[in-house]
């Protein structure tokens, strides 16, 4: 398996522009997580899905952020409009739940976003 | 592994020595813990996990110790190698919380001197 795939790996954009980050989870995994990592705040959970359904989006900073999972093999995180304070590394992770109590999360390589 | 704002706690060790990385957690309801390793420019990678019904678990060159009394977790790396240089995160899962949800600590940077 290729692992969790994220694209793009790097994104540089200007303030006010729309940014879309993409994730392909590991095949067969039923949980998908979006995280944001900064030096100041560390690794923060933004939202996670179970069987394509959003379960907890309490970590989404504000209405400018939205995430979708139209099918089991694809998810997007969108920021519109983007602001300089959104600059961070965004990670996608997936795991296999299926009733298991303890689920190891597998992380993608991340997307480094810079908003000028 | 406690956060110190802009700067990560750093542990510097000599190649071949043993390393001990510590993590304090705050929720006594946490029942599952994971250590992740993050190398520069990469995503976190699973190292080892432990459930709250255990106090020690060993892997290849790594050992995790759990002290529920003081809510403390540690990762021991034997014979530390340059390839072990990375940021190490502990993560916890709260019993009764959302399945699959992990809370991550701020991380500790391990630097291995050749």
């Amino acid at each position: 398996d290729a692992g969790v795939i994220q694209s793009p790996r790097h994104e540089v954009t200007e303030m006010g522009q729309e940014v879309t980050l993409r994730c392909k989870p590991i095949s067969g995994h039923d949980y998908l997580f979006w995280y944001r990592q900064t030096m100041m705040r560390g690794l923060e959970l933004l939202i996670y899905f179970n069987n394509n359904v959003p379960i907890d989006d309490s970590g989404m900073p504000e209405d400018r952020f939205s995430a979708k999972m139209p099918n089991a093999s694809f998810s997007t995180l969108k920021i519109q409009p983007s602001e300089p304070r959104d600059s961070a590394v965004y990670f996608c992770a997936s795991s296999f739940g299926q009733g298991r109590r303890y689920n190891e999360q597998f992380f993608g390589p991340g997307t480094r976003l810079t908003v000028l | 592994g406690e956060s110190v704002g802009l700067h990560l706690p750093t542990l510097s060790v000599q190649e071949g020595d043993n390393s001990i990385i510590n993590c304090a957690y705050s929720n006594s309801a946490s029942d599952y813990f994971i250590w992740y390793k993050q190398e520069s420019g990469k995503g976190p990678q699973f190292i080892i996990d432990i459930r709250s019904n255990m106090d020690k678990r060993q892997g290849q060159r790594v050992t995790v110790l759990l002290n529920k009394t003081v809510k403390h977790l540690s990762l021991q790396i034997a014979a530390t190698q340059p390839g072990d240089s990375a940021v190490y995160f502990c993560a916890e899962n709260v019993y009764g919380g959302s399945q699959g949800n992990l809370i991550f600590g701020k991380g500790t940077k391990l630097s291995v001197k050749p």
Side-chain angles (χ1 to χ4, degrees):
Chain A
D1 198 313
V4 176
I5 299 173
Q6 291 186 248
S7 65
R9 292 296 311 277
H10 302 272
E11 176 81 27
V12 180
T13 191
E14 293 188 343
M15 183 173 63
Q17 296 298 306
E18 177 180 296
V19 174
T20 299
L21 311 181
R22 297 172 176 80
C23 175
K24 181 182 187 321
I26 293 173
S27 177
H29 281 189
D30 55 344
Y31 282 85
L32 184 139
F33 305 82
W34 281 101
Y35 290 89
R36 177 173 67 177
Q37 186 176 43
T38 62
M39 281 300 296
M40 279 300 294
R41 301 174 68 89
L43 199 60
E44 302 175 280
L45 177 66
L46 300 177
I47 185 172
Y48 77 98
F49 297 83
N50 178 216
N51 292 323
N52 314 337
V53 176
I55 302 300
D56 184 353
D57 65 353
S58 60
M60 296 287 261
E62 49 199 272
D63 292 345
R64 297 185 298 107
F65 286 68
S66 63
K68 294 182 180 179
M69 192 165 185
N71 57 62
S73 59
F74 184 66
S75 177
T76 59
L77 178 67
K78 185 175 295 186
I79 308 172
Q80 166 63 16
S82 58
E83 296 182 3
R85 61 192 168 117
D86 301 330
S87 297
V89 181
Y90 291 82
F91 288 103
C92 176
S94 70
S95 70
F96 177 65
Q98 289 292 325
R100 286 171 31 175
R101 179 68 184 88
Y102 308 105
N103 310 325
E104 172 193 343
Q105 294 181 20
F106 295 83
F107 283 76
T111 295
R112 180 173 294 277
L113 174 65
T114 302
V115 183
L116 303 174
Chain B
E2 293 82 9
S3 168
V4 290
L6 281 173
H7 303 285
L8 289 174
T10 298
L11 175 65
S12 185
V13 301
Q14 202 71 37
E15 180 179 359
D17 288 351
N18 297 333
S19 304
I20 300 176
I21 301 171
N22 297 303
C23 177
Y25 64 95
S26 57
N27 197 325
S28 56
S30 293
D31 65 344
Y32 177 57
F33 305 87
I34 302 180
W35 279 101
Y36 280 89
K37 171 187 180 182
Q38 186 176 21
E39 297 174 275
S40 180
K42 297 183 179 180
Q45 179 184 10
F46 173 90
I47 301 174
I48 191 169
D49 60 1
I50 188 168
R51 302 182 186 182
S52 60
N53 61 352
M54 304 170 68
D55 53 20
K56 180 179 180 179
R57 189 164 189 223
Q58 288 185 292
Q60 187 177 14
R61 280 202 309 119
V62 295
T63 301
V64 56
L65 299 177
L66 175 62
N67 186 329
K68 294 182 288 294
T69 302
V70 295
K71 296 199 283 291
H72 183 267
L73 195 67
S74 69
L75 177 70
Q76 300 179 0
I77 305 174
T80 312
Q81 303 169 0
D84 296 326
S85 294
V87 176
Y88 290 80
F89 296 93
C90 64
E92 61 185 297
N93 179 254
V94 178
Y95 182 78
S98 300
Q99 183 179 10
N101 192 6
L102 294 173
I103 309 298
F104 284 81
K106 291 294 192 289
T108 296
K109 183 177 181 180
L110 175 64
S111 178
V112 182
K113 296 176 288 186

